[in-house]
Amino acid sequence: MATLTHYIVLSSILFGLGAIGFCTRRNALILFMSIELMLNAVNLMMVAFSNFRADMAGQVMVLFIFAVAAAEVAVGLAILIGLFRHVREVDITKFNVLKW
């Protein structure tokens, strides 16, 4: 039986991997995936605490977060595809069209 500590350790590891990926990579797709990994680590933690406290509010909140995250990914990927068509690169150091 997995305890709350197991979930906390797992979500901390996932969040750390996402943070390392976000800080060290230059590929825009990898950055998106790293952000999503960190978001899902937080969601896992929220569900674990919700289950631990026997309160369904946290799990319902995670469903709303999933819906907002799906919309965010759709918009982000659309922007990334538009930038790729313009620059022909996914390296974030090459993107300078959004600067003032």
Side-chain angles (χ1 to χ4, degrees):
M1 176 78 183
T3 63
L4 182 62
T5 305
H6 293 108
Y7 290 112
I8 291 172
V9 169
L10 177 63
S11 64
S12 298
I13 290 171
L14 290 175
F15 191 87
L17 289 174
I20 289 171
F22 184 79
C23 292
T24 60
R25 303 299 295 260
R26 298 284 181 229
N27 189 331
L29 288 174
I30 301 294
L31 292 179
F32 271 122
M33 289 192 301
S34 297
I35 291 170
E36 290 299 319
L37 186 62
M38 289 190 289
L39 181 65
N40 284 327
V42 171
N43 286 337
L44 177 65
M45 181 89 72
M46 190 178 296
V47 168
F49 277 110
S50 173
N51 191 23
F52 178 72
R53 296 190 61 199
D55 185 14
M56 292 293 291
Q59 297 175 16
V60 172
M61 179 65 83
V62 168
L63 286 177
F64 286 120
I65 291 172
F66 278 148
V68 172
E72 169 249 330
V73 166
V75 171
L77 286 177
I79 291 171
L80 186 62
I81 288 171
L83 286 172
F84 180 75
R85 288 181 179 165
H86 183 71
V87 180
R88 297 287 178 198
E89 284 281 337
V90 289
D91 189 1
I92 59 168
T93 59
K94 306 287 186 207
F95 295 158
N96 60 2
V97 293
L98 294 179
K99 292 181 181 176
W100 289 87

